[in-house]
Amino acid sequence: MPAVAASLEPPAPTASPSAPVPGPAIEPLLPPSEPAAVPPSDPAAISPSKPAAVPSEAPSTPATVSPSAEPGTKDSAVTVEPLADPMSQPGFNPVLGEHLAAPSDSAKSASGAPAGSAAAFGQRSGTFTVTLVTVVLSGAPNNRISDFQFSQAKQSILASNDYWRAASANRLGMQFGPEYRDVVITANSTDQYYDLMAKITAKLQWTATPNDALVVYVPVAQFAGGVLGGGFTDGSNSGRVIMPVPSGFTNNVVTHEFGHVLGLNHANSLECSTGSSDIASPNNTWGDSACDSRDYGDTMDLMGLAQYTTPPINAYLWEYGGFGRGDEILDAGVIEGSKAFTLQPWGGTAARRAVKFVDPASRETYYLSYRNPSGANDAGATDNNRGVMIHKKDARGDWPEAASLALTPSSYRFSGYYNQNHAWQQGSTFRTARGTTVRIDSLGTNATVTINSQSSREAVAKPFIDGAAAAVPALGTPVSDVICGLKDNGCYRGYVNGAVLWSAGSGAAATLNGPLRKAWLDSGAQNGPMGYPVSAQGCGIRDGGCYQSFQGGEILYSAASGAHLSRNGEIRSAYRAAGAESSILGYPTNGEICGIKDGGCYQTFQHGEVLWSPASGARISYNSAIRTAYRAAGAENGILGYPISGEICGIRDGGCYQAYQGGEVLWSAGSGAHLTRQGGIRLAYRAAGAENSILGYPTGAETCGLRNGGCYQAYQRGEILWSPTTSTQITHHGAIRTAYRAAGAESSILGYPTNREICGIKDGGCYQSFQNGEIFWSAASGAHLSRGGGIRLAYRAAGAENGILGYPTNTEICGIRDGGCYQSFQRGEILWSPKTGPVITRNGGIRNTYRTQGAENGALGYPTNTEICGIRDGGCYQSFQNGEILWSPRTEAHSTITGPIRTTYRAQGAENGALGYPTKTQTCTTNTQCTQPFQNGTLTWTPTNGVVSRSK
């Protein structure tokens, strides 16, 4: 459990004999019939959700609570008595809320930044989902938060939402989430608020997640020790708030506690027994034992002891928390000589309405703002609280950097709870601990101030240079005085083994003689792209290397690589994001080089490059097979252009890829590294699933110049072919592709594929269409071509694989009798000749007889129609060039050859006549006699008698 952050609690204030006694710090709570005023809020700004169920961990016999009182009647569940004057109670100390744990991601100032410069979080955005809870203490089971008080509690969250939305330029807000009513916890009203919150958090099993907040109301008038509320930060965008029953303070306190949730500490003030307006704060401590911070002492600030109102947070906390648009505070930098500035009301919305400056001697940052009641929520800026307020970082804050310190005209302990003398008035002069002055010239609609520093440049620089030199003993003794007049009015001092340089923007840093300093000098020193050093040389990094940071980047050195610049910019950002010298890239091996294609730049490293262009950004190209393929293709000057992603590994089969403007390079151990360039082939490959598809990884580059201007690319399990006519189609490994390639692929009669292989047809078969045909495959038939032409047309007209023929069992064969062609199928053939066209002969008695008689080479020649059935006695027949074959169940299949016998047979009615079906084929014993028997007779031919019919 995190420790409670220390909270300095000053002794109870005593009233000055001549001053009126201030009112009590805690206002008597009002009963529901006289509710404390709650500012109206736009309900649309926050959307309440439906109440959630109370967790199941409540006791099996919960304490009985009284019904909620209706508005206008006193709540019988909570008896609230007006509080006695807290100042009269021994040891009482008002506390707006301690808080647990510093923000987990609070940022420190950048190296070389002025002391106390804020900007910890940057500009955040998001809507907090608020879990709202009311509890019942087991030690007071009849006390509860009434429905009316619950509505006041919700109004306080609305008020906080309005405040922080305005402060964040509408980037941060709140919305209601789950609501838990009357959650029973084992506790008493005298328990410390942080113990109560720990029990409630555990009871609800609430855990901190980004943009979540837990708000709890407890039915007590105040917590132990006079605490009016507690705020807990669980990171920069999550936290918890615990509150007593609503009162006139509630809107302020809830908003204040959400400030803690957002990572802000308190707005304190300087308190000195000597009345000093400022003291130095070396090493985050006060340099004068007579001075310390007064917690909540800035009573003009929400994060101080404002109590009744919700005034703006001061300029230091504003910048530290990343609020506003980012243009509200003018950065005047290090002050030299005299400079005048105009301040506009801090409670307003103008840009550059406040000023921050750096004291040239102490390097502390001071913030000036004009508090004027014309500003929003700044109604308290009257009398001596109207004027210029001055803030800096509180050196004693329990969170680093997160607390502010008001520097008031008098730091004597003020009486009561409210300081009536926060602001510097017209004609007054504030003096920093090191002598820089701020004169208040005028107060009106705006305020004007003059900041004056009389230190010489050399005098300003010398303490910083001496301090930096003392930290680097290797410099040796000085060999020159401090000399100024360098770039940006900087200064330097020479030493035996180097120099120390200083400027207002960089601070002081040493450069030691050696490869780092030589590379810096060769680049133009402070006048070059690196600017001034911002840190001393550091060694002991990877491979015994060294580095030094500069305004414009870093210089890195190793024995293997030498010393080279890493300039600020996208290339350096990508290098650092990858891990800089500790990454796979290692050390730079040259400086950044620009002027390449499309205005791009690149920098080489021990194990790769970083390339940048305006269109692609900066991307790493590691030494690898992918980079080798990329460079072989011409790198940024090739078809791929610049990389648009880093190399990404862990894909299928342990492969890697990198994307480029014009495509990708993919690698696997099984395939090597190959390009897939933008175009139809890559689109088809990606649409199929790229390396995860049936194709796997590419095994070669895209190759063009094929037939009809086509292109193809080979993959582990197939190819993609493209032509202007067919676009892109896949042929993947398998019997169909093997048959296609065996036929000559795109150069064959089939041409290019016109669709991809389609499976799931009859008998689990597959097919693929091509420009001039198809290839069919089944497990029983294998893969065979069905090329464009009469045979394929007849096959498709017969139903293709779903028809009587089934799948092809060989490819179409030509060069047979009379220039004919044929193709065999599972259940027949298709024969074609120029005279007959394509005709099917299907498996069966007729086809068997046809083949037995020599098929197209026999007496019958080619078929002239398809087999026709349904004739007499369930018979069938098929016509040929020179006859017919007839079949019946009783007679089987026999031919009738063109000639006098067939002519007579047909004249007598063929199978429908007296003769019936033929029972044998016609035979001729000599040239002078031929005979053919039929079911019911015989036909005999002789030259003398012609055809003679004999009945059985």
Side-chain angles (χ1 to χ4, degrees), residues 327-333 340-342 351-357:
D327 63 357
E328 294 85 357
I329 302 170
L330 171 66
D331 186 356
F341 299 93
T342 297
R352 299 157 70 95
R353 59 183 180 270
V355 171
K356 72 173 184 178
F357 71 90

Side-chain angles (χ1 to χ4, degrees), residues 392-647:
K392 68 177 183 179
K393 182 190 76 171
D394 189 340
R396 201 228 56 196
D398 50 354
W399 297 348
E401 316 290 336
S404 63
L405 190 74
L407 303 173
T408 59
S410 171
S411 63
Y412 288 115
R413 184 172 184 80
F414 57 85
S415 60
Y417 290 99
Y418 304 101
N419 187 358
Q420 305 299 328
N421 191 28
H422 283 89
W424 293 79
Q425 302 303 306
Q426 181 173 323
S428 61
T429 298
F430 164 76
R431 184 179 298 275
T432 70
R434 293 296 182 88
T436 295
T437 61
V438 179
R439 186 180 71 244
I440 314 305
D441 297 321
S442 67
L443 300 177
T445 302
N446 299 320
T448 58
V449 300
T450 300
I451 307 174
N452 188 25
S453 170
Q454 298 300 329
S455 300
S456 70
R457 195 65 170 171
E458 289 76 11
V460 168
K462 188 174 185 303
F464 298 103
I465 288 176
D466 290 347
V472 186
L475 281 170
T477 57
V479 295
S480 75
D481 292 329
V482 174
I483 299 171
C484 297
L486 306 184
K487 178 186 176 184
D488 298 333
N489 208 8
C491 306
Y492 80 99
R493 191 173 196 183
Y495 291 81
V496 171
N497 294 316
V500 177
L501 292 96
W502 174 90
S503 76
S506 65
T511 63
L512 280 169
N513 289 344
L516 291 174
R517 176 170 161 79
K518 183 178 186 303
W520 177 62
L521 291 171
D522 289 346
S523 73
Q526 73 277 1
N527 298 311
M530 304 307 288
Y532 285 92
V534 296
S535 72
Q537 173 179 308
C539 293
I541 55 175
R542 180 181 179 180
D543 300 333
C546 301
Y547 76 99
Q548 186 162 12
S549 298
F550 296 82
Q551 289 175 309
E554 284 180 332
I555 301 178
L556 296 100
Y557 162 84
S558 75
S561 64
H564 297 284
L565 280 63
S566 174
R567 293 170 47 180
N568 284 351
E570 291 196 44
I571 287 180
R572 173 170 154 77
S573 295
Y575 176 54
R576 288 177 62 85
E581 77 284 348
S582 298
S583 73
I584 193 171
L585 286 172
Y587 287 89
T589 55
N590 70 3
E592 185 176 311
I593 297 172
C594 294
I596 57 174
K597 180 182 177 182
D598 298 333
C601 303
Y602 77 99
Q603 184 165 11
T604 59
F605 298 84
Q606 289 175 304
H607 307 295
E609 289 178 326
V610 179
L611 296 99
W612 172 89
S613 77
S616 64
R619 308 292 177 178
I620 293 170
S621 174
Y622 294 123
N623 282 0
S624 67
I626 287 179
R627 181 166 178 257
T628 299
Y630 173 58
R631 291 175 63 84
E636 75 279 357
N637 296 309
I639 56 173
L640 290 175
Y642 285 91
I644 57 174
S645 78
E647 185 173 313

Side-chain angles (χ1 to χ4, degrees), residues 167-215:
S168 64
N170 213 37
R171 294 190 309 275
L172 293 171
M174 302 165 203
Q175 64 181 0
F176 288 119
E179 296 173 0
Y180 299 101
R181 299 291 301 274
D182 300 332
V183 178
V184 179
I185 62 169
T186 304
N188 295 300
S189 61
T190 56
D191 290 351
Q192 296 292 336
Y193 75 94
Y194 43 82
D195 290 333
L196 293 172
M197 180 56 95
K199 292 178 181 179
I200 296 163
T201 304
K203 177 90 172 191
L204 296 173
Q205 298 182 350
W206 187 88
T207 56
T209 55
N211 292 335
D212 271 358
L214 176 64
V215 178

Side-chain angles (χ1 to χ4, degrees), residues 790-791 814-822 831-839 856 862-864 881:
I791 289 179
C814 293
I816 58 175
R817 178 181 176 181
D818 298 334
C821 302
Y822 80 97
L831 294 98
W832 174 91
S833 75
K835 291 182 178 179
T836 60
V839 183
E856 77 280 356
Y862 286 93
T864 57
Q881 286 177 304

